Amino acid sequence: MSINPVYHQTSSKLDQERVWVQRAKKNPEDFGPLYRKYHEQIFRYVHQRMDDTEQAFDVTSQVFLKAIKNIHKFEFRGVPFGSWLYRIAKSELYQAFRDRKVKRTVNIETLHITEIIEEMDEVISDENQKRLFNAIAQLKEEDVQILELRYFEKRPYKEIGEILEITENNAKVKSFRVLEKLKKIIFKN
Amino acid sequence: MNLDRPKISSEEIRNRQNFDQILGNLKALHKPFYKKTWFWGTTGLATVAVAIGLSTLITNENNLDENNTTLASTTALAPLSEADNLEDTPCIQTPVDGQDVPYETFKVLPGKDTTISTANGSTISFKAATLMAPDNTSAVDVKVRYFADKASAFVAGIPMTVEEGAFESAGMLEVRGTQNGEEVGINPKAPLAIDMQMYKPSEGFNFYYLNEDNGGWEDSKCVYSDASSKERKTDAEPVAKSQKVTLEKELAPQEKIEIQERIAEIDVELVELKKQEPQRADYKLVENQNLVFDLDYDVKEFPELEKLQGVGFEALPNQKQYSDIVKENWDNVKLQLLEEGQYKITFIKGRKTNYLIARPVLSGNDEKEAEELFNMVMSDIKERKEELVLEKKALEKRQEDVQLQMKKLIEEQKAARLKDMELRKAMFEAQQQTMAMGNAIYKATASFEAFQWGVYNCDSPRKFPNPAPLAFNYYSDGDNMQVQKAYVFSFSKEARFEYTAGYFGLQSLEKIGFHHGKNVIFVQDKNGKLAYASFSESDLPKEGVHNFKLTSILNADFTAENIKAILGEKTPSTDNVALR
C-alpha cells in the first residue's frame, strides 16, 4: 500500500517549523505560517468525518484557535507539531459530535474499497465491494478511525500512533486487526 | 456513509483561510488577570502568600466565633430568583430549546465569609478569599441547581453517559459564579466547601466532576456521611494528595515553567551536538595505530587513492584474520571499493587467499591538516557542550530551589485545609449529636471542596444493556418518526441510556437495548419533536420488528414536573435517606 507523501516531512521542513513554533509561542500573530501550512490538511481531516462543509470549516477554525491558545504547552520532545494539531482536531471533532452540532459520517472512495480488498487478498468484484461497504458500517468507531487514518488517508503508522496516542507498533497491530474484523464480518454474512 | 463524495479543491479551501478572524476570536477569549500564569509567578506568589496569611488570621478568628455561636451561625442568604438561568455549556445541552431547570440565585460578596443554603438543604461555604472577582465591592451571582431525580437531569441536558455505561445518581449539584455576566475565578487556596445532600445512601456510589472541556466525567473526592453507618467515612489523605497535585499545577510559577522549557531546549541541543560530533573516519584519520598497514597497489585502477598521496590503510576492528594476514608475505593484492569509502582487500599467495575490510587513512602533511580540522570542529562542539552542561546544572539547582519554595507553600496550604476539614467534621458530628437528642432526622451528605464551577455528582455507572435483536419503528400521531436520538430510562438500573443516530458502538441508535422490567423511551427527530412510550421489556417480541406507538410531547410541556409524572418519579426527600 502506498503512503501519502503529504504526511511526510523532511528535516529541513521540521527545522523551519521549529522556528515558526518558537516565534508563535512568543507572539500569536506569528502563528500565521503554521496556519497556512496546516489549514488544508486539518480541514480535510475534519471534513472527511462529516457531511456539512460549513461546519467543517468552523471546526477547523476552532482547532487553530485552540492550538494558538495552547501553543505554550507544546514541546518538540513530544509529538511533531502536525500530529499535535491532529490530536486537537480529533478532540474538537468528537466534541462537535457529542454536542450534536454535526453528524458523524464516513466518506469512502471506490478506490479505497478496491485497495482494501487487494490488501485482504480477495477478488475485486462488485459483490465484494458491496460486502466490504456494508462491513465497514458495522465496525466500532475505534476501528473506523484506524481504517480512515491508515487505508483512506494513507498515513504512516508512526503518525497514526501519534494522533491516537498509541505506540507505532500498536497502530500496526490495530490496522491489521481491522482488516481481520472486516474479513470476519464479510465471510460471516 | 458516503461513497465518492465530490472533493473540495485546494483553492477553495485556501480561499476560506482567515487567520485574522482567528486572532480576533483569540483576543475575545482574553483571560482575566487572575487566570494568567504570571499572576502565579514569583511576584504573584508573594502577594498571594500575604493574602493567605491575612485570610488565615481572619478565618481563625471567624472559626472561634463560629465555635462560640453554635452551628446555626452559617449565614444563608435567601435565593433571589429561580428563573434567572445561565446559558447551557457545550456539553450541557437541554434536549428542547427554551426548556431548562431553573437555578437558585444567591448574591455573595467577595471578601466576606459566607455560607448559602439551597432549597434542598445543601450548603456552600465561601471564605473571604474564595471569589476572585474583578470588582471586590460588587456581589457575585452564585447560581445553583440540584438534580434530585432523573427527570430534572434529563430536562437540563446533563450528560450521564460514561464509557460503556450510564450513571445512576444519588445526588448531583451544579454551581456557577458570575459577576456582570463574566465568570469569576475560584481561589485554589480557598475553594468552595460544599455539603451536598444526597437522596440515596452513599454505599456503592463514587464521586465525579463533569469536565466541560471534553464532556467526560472525572473521578473526584468527597467525604460521605451516612446515617446508616453513623460514621463519617473520612477520605482526608487522598483528598490532601489530590489537592497537592492541583496546587502544584496551579501554583507552578512562571519561572519554573521557563526553567523546564530551557532545560528541554538544552537537552535537544545536546542530542543534536552528539550527532554532529566529527568521526575520525570521516576525516580519514587513524583510530587505532595497531591496525594500520601499507599496501602497494596500482593507482591507475584506484584514482581516488592517488589523489590522497601516500595513503595507508586501517583495518576495521574485530577481524580475527588480521594477525594472520600481517604475519604473512603475500604475492599479490586486489582492492575492491565497497560502500562508505571502505575497501575489501584480498591477499593472494599461490592458491591461498584471505581478505580484510579496511579504510584509507592519511599520512604526512595531509594527516596533519585533517587532524587540525578535526580538532577544530571537535573543540567547537566540546566548548558548546560544556557551556550547555554548565547552564543546565545551574538551572537544575534553581529548579530545586523553586521546588522547595513551592513545597513549603503547598505544605502550609495542606495543613490549613486539613485543619478546616477537621473543623467541618467536628461541626457535622456535633450536628448529628444535636439531632440525635431531638427527634432525629438523619441525612446523607457528600462534603467536598470545589476548585472549579460546574457539576458534581455522586454516581454509580450502570452498563448499557445488550442490543435488542429487533428492528424498531417509531410511530407518533400516525407518522413514522425519523429518530435522531433516543433516551431510555431503565427502572431497574435507575439510569438514562442515550442512543444517537450516526454514532458507533453502544451509543449507536442501531444498538438500542433494554434492561429487564419497566422502561420508558423518549425519542426525538431531527426537528426536535419529542415522543415517549412506557413498556416492559418482557412485552417486546423476541425477534423481528417492533412498532413503538408513542405519545408526543409539546415543547412547552417538556418540564421536569411533566417528565417526572411520565417516569412516575417523586422528588425524593433528602431526609431519612438511610432509613428508606
Side-chain angles (χ1 to χ4, degrees):
Chain A
M1 194 187 76
S2 61
I3 292 296
N4 193 337
V6 172
Y7 306 119
H8 285 273
Q9 301 234 47
T10 61
S11 60
S12 63
K13 277 185 186 170
L14 286 173
D15 286 346
Q16 174 64 72
E17 192 168 282
R18 192 181 292 249
V19 173
W20 286 341
V21 170
Q22 291 306 340
R23 283 187 193 149
K25 278 186 177 182
K26 286 176 191 147
N27 181 4
E29 289 181 13
D30 286 337
F31 195 92
L34 291 164
Y35 175 76
R36 282 182 286 279
K37 178 176 176 184
Y38 283 106
H39 179 265
E40 183 175 343
Q41 283 184 43
I42 295 295
F43 170 78
R44 290 205 186 278
Y45 172 85
V46 171
H47 191 228
Q48 169 73 26
R49 289 153 178 81
M50 60 171 71
D51 265 339
D52 192 324
T53 307
E54 285 309 308
Q55 289 282 14
F57 277 115
D58 283 353
V59 171
T60 307
S61 298
Q62 201 56 30
V63 171
F64 283 100
L65 183 65
K66 279 249 165 99
I68 299 174
K69 215 177 131 200
N70 293 300
I71 194 161
H72 62 281
K73 293 180 190 165
F74 173 74
E75 285 182 35
F76 269 100
R77 283 179 307 163
V79 294
F81 183 73
S83 302
W84 184 70
L85 275 183
Y86 280 113
R87 278 190 192 176
I88 298 177
K90 189 182 97 183
S91 147
E92 282 302 302
L93 256 177
Y94 284 89
Q95 185 62 52
F97 298 148
R98 272 198 297 272
D99 297 347
R100 286 166 267 155
K101 282 181 191 159
V102 284
K103 198 178 154 190
R104 169 77 159 109
T105 48
V106 180
N107 288 293
I108 312 175
E109 289 171 31
T110 310
L111 181 69
H112 298 147
I113 297 273
T114 48
E115 280 178 353
I116 295 173
I117 294 173
E118 270 179 350
E119 191 91 6
M120 287 175 166
D121 287 332
E122 293 296 327
V123 182
I124 300 169
S125 64
D126 285 352
E127 181 58 31
N128 273 348
Q129 289 189 12
K130 213 168 160 186
R131 280 174 163 187
L132 179 63
F133 195 77
N134 291 333
I136 292 171
Q138 293 176 52
L139 288 178
K140 281 185 179 176
E141 171 63 14
E142 187 194 355
D143 296 328
V144 174
Q145 276 191 53
I146 292 275
L147 197 70
E148 284 174 320
L149 291 168
R150 180 65 189 167
Y151 299 104
F152 299 175
E153 291 162 13
K154 306 199 182 327
R155 291 173 195 274
Y157 290 120
K158 188 170 185 307
E159 190 177 13
I160 297 174
E162 283 159 1
I163 296 172
L164 298 180
E165 296 173 64
I166 55 178
T167 61
E168 185 179 349
N169 252 341
N170 203 353
K172 266 185 207 170
V173 171
K174 285 189 174 204
S175 302
F176 175 75
R177 283 194 187 143
V178 170
L179 284 191
E180 291 296 300
K181 274 186 195 173
L182 283 171
K183 268 188 189 174
K184 259 190 192 170
I185 297 171
I186 290 171
F187 292 112
K188 197 174 79 181
N189 295 335
Chain B
M1 286 210 294
N2 298 328
L3 187 63
D4 293 332
R5 180 175 69 172
K7 277 198 169 172
I8 297 180
S9 71
S10 295
E11 195 187 349
E12 193 183 339
I13 299 170
R14 265 199 303 279
N15 287 341
R16 295 291 299 267
Q17 288 187 354
N18 192 344
F19 186 58
D20 289 342
Q21 190 189 33
I22 289 178
L23 282 181
N25 289 341
L26 183 73
K27 279 169 192 158
L29 289 174
H30 204 63
K31 279 184 181 178
F33 70 94
Y34 50 81
K35 285 190 177 177
K36 294 213 167 187
T37 325
W38 64 259
F39 182 77
W40 299 108
T42 318
T43 324
L45 276 178
T47 318
V48 170
V50 173
I52 295 162
L54 285 172
S55 82
T56 311
L57 274 176
I58 294 164
T59 312
N60 287 344
E61 283 173 16
N62 286 346
N63 288 345
L64 283 175
D65 290 348
E66 280 167 10
N67 289 338
N68 291 339
T69 53
T70 74
L71 305 162
S73 63
T74 50
T75 44
L77 301 181
L80 292 179
S81 153
E82 290 202 342
D84 193 6
N85 288 340
L86 290 170
E87 283 195 12
D88 279 349
T89 65
C91 73
I92 302 175
Q93 297 278 343
T94 176
V96 174
D97 288 343
Q99 295 297 334
D100 209 344
V101 173
Y103 290 84
E104 291 177 65
T105 307
F106 303 84
K107 294 272 184 197
V108 178
L109 265 178
K112 196 179 164 194
D113 285 7
T114 307
T115 299
I116 59 176
S117 297
T118 69
N120 89 314
S122 299
T123 62
I124 305 174
S125 299
F126 302 81
K127 289 254 190 295
T130 297
L131 295 170
M132 301 172 70
D135 178 4
N136 262 338
T137 58
S138 303
V140 168
D141 291 328
V142 174
K143 292 168 191 283
V144 188
R145 303 196 274 192
Y146 183 77
F147 304 102
D149 43 61
K150 296 187 288 297
S152 56
F154 177 38
V155 171
I158 306 290
M160 295 298 272
T161 305
V162 55
E163 292 169 0
E164 297 199 334
F167 273 144
E168 175 189 351
S169 178
M172 177 158 53
L173 178 143
E174 182 183 358
V175 58
R176 311 265 169 201
T178 57
Q179 191 179 62
N180 301 321
E182 291 290 313
E183 185 177 290
V184 302
I186 296 175
N187 185 342
K189 289 170 279 321
L192 310 181
I194 300 181
D195 285 333
M196 182 177 81
Q197 295 301 323
M198 293 165 63
Y199 57 91
K200 290 177 188 171
S202 69
E203 197 66 42
F205 287 88
N206 294 318
F207 196 68
Y208 299 88
Y209 169 73
L210 178 62
N211 180 336
E212 287 170 22
D213 286 337
N214 60 23
W217 289 96
E218 290 179 355
D219 282 336
S220 194
K221 292 282 175 194
C222 77
V223 178
Y224 287 120
S225 56
D226 267 53
S228 57
S229 60
K230 294 196 179 171
E231 280 175 11
R232 195 173 174 87
K233 293 176 213 163
T234 305
D235 215 3
E237 190 48 33
V239 171
K241 272 184 192 160
S242 71
Q243 284 165 355
K244 188 178 171 216
V245 172
T246 315
L247 271 170
E248 272 184 1
K249 200 172 151 194
E250 288 169 356
L251 293 182
Q254 181 64 17
E255 191 184 354
K256 189 185 165 196
I257 296 164
E258 283 169 4
I259 291 172
Q260 283 171 343
E261 283 176 355
R262 180 65 195 132
I263 289 177
E265 282 172 7
I266 290 175
D267 286 341
V268 170
E269 196 177 339
L270 283 172
V271 171
E272 285 302 315
L273 285 173
K274 180 82 190 155
K275 284 185 204 160
Q276 289 167 18
E277 271 181 15
Q279 301 299 313
R280 293 184 69 83
D282 297 338
Y283 288 76
K284 296 194 167 50
L285 289 168
V286 171
E287 277 182 335
N288 184 350
Q289 194 62 50
N290 295 332
L291 297 176
V292 174
F293 58 94
D294 286 328
L295 275 185
D296 286 331
Y297 50 87
D298 185 356
V299 290
K300 281 178 195 160
E301 274 187 56
F302 298 92
E304 76 274 11
L305 294 178
E306 187 185 11
K307 281 180 216 158
L308 296 173
Q309 286 178 6
V311 70
F313 284 89
E314 180 179 333
L316 299 194
N318 304 322
Q319 297 183 87
K320 284 179 188 168
Q321 71 277 31
Y322 178 76
S323 53
D324 294 337
I325 290 174
V326 291
K327 279 181 209 159
E328 189 100 32
N329 285 322
W330 300 89
D331 298 337
N332 198 4
V333 67
K334 278 186 181 172
L335 270 72
Q336 183 192 351
L337 182 59
L338 303 174
E339 284 177 1
E340 295 172 0
Q342 293 169 359
Y343 289 81
K344 181 179 177 185
I345 305 167
T346 309
F347 301 88
I348 304 158
K349 187 178 186 182
R351 287 185 177 180
K352 188 177 172 187
T353 63
N354 208 340
Y355 75 91
L356 278 176
I357 308 294
R359 62 180 179 83
V361 289
L362 296 169
S363 59
N365 271 345
D366 290 342
E367 184 191 10
K368 206 176 152 191
E369 277 173 21
E371 188 82 49
E372 274 172 15
L373 190 62
F374 172 84
N375 286 339
M376 202 171 74
V377 176
M378 190 58 138
S379 145
D380 280 355
I381 289 177
K382 197 177 158 197
E383 203 176 307
R384 179 68 186 141
K385 267 169 77 178
E386 282 168 1
E387 267 177 32
L388 289 172
V389 168
L390 276 179
E391 188 187 348
K392 189 178 169 184
K393 271 188 188 162
L395 285 168
E396 282 170 346
K397 173 77 181 67
R398 179 67 196 138
Q399 195 178 25
E400 272 174 28
D401 293 346
V402 173
Q403 196 69 37
L404 275 176
Q405 280 173 10
M406 274 179 65
K407 201 174 165 189
K408 200 176 156 198
L409 189 67
I410 288 163
E411 287 305 319
E412 284 169 10
Q413 288 307 309
K414 200 169 110 182
R417 281 191 198 169
L418 285 175
K419 193 177 164 190
D420 183 56
M421 201 166 269
E422 284 300 313
L423 184 71
R424 287 197 290 125
K425 186 179 166 188
M427 282 168 70
F428 177 83
E429 281 164 2
Q431 188 182 29
Q432 278 203 321
Q433 279 174 12
T434 310
M435 285 172 171
M437 282 188 281
N439 279 330
I441 299 171
Y442 296 116
K443 291 188 174 188
T445 311
S447 301
F448 58 97
E449 291 183 326
F451 293 82
Q452 298 163 84
W453 305 111
V455 185
Y456 295 87
N457 194 357
C458 294
D459 280 308
S460 182
R462 303 283 174 239
K463 277 195 165 179
F464 268 81
N466 291 329
L470 286 166
F472 295 101
N473 291 314
Y474 304 91
Y475 289 99
S476 166
D477 304 326
D479 295 331
N480 189 351
M481 283 178 79
Q482 296 305 305
V483 172
Q484 288 295 307
K485 191 104 195 168
Y487 308 88
V488 177
F489 289 83
S490 158
F491 281 52
S492 60
K493 299 294 172 192
E494 283 281 291
R496 165 179 28 116
F497 297 89
E498 288 191 21
Y499 301 90
T500 308
Y503 268 44
F504 291 85
L506 286 169
Q507 291 183 59
S508 151
L509 193 61
E510 290 94 58
K511 301 228 171 118
I512 198 163
F514 308 100
H515 287 288
H516 292 300
K518 196 180 167 192
N519 289 272
V520 175
I521 183 170
F522 287 81
V523 295
Q524 195 167 28
D525 68 12
K526 66 175 180 186
N527 299 317
K529 182 187 169 181
L530 262 171
Y532 74 95
S534 300
F535 62 98
S536 173
E537 191 261 351
S538 58
D539 296 340
L540 297 176
K542 296 290 172 226
E543 56 185 10
V545 179
H546 179 68
N547 297 327
F548 276 116
K549 291 195 175 66
L550 305 146
T551 308
S552 61
I553 308 171
L554 293 175
N555 282 1
D557 291 336
F558 188 71
T559 62
E561 283 309 310
N562 288 339
I563 302 301
K564 263 195 285 188
I566 292 169
L567 295 176
E569 270 192 311
K570 286 177 189 164
T571 301
S573 167
T574 50
D575 291 342
N576 298 323
V577 164
L579 306 178
R580 290 191 306 156

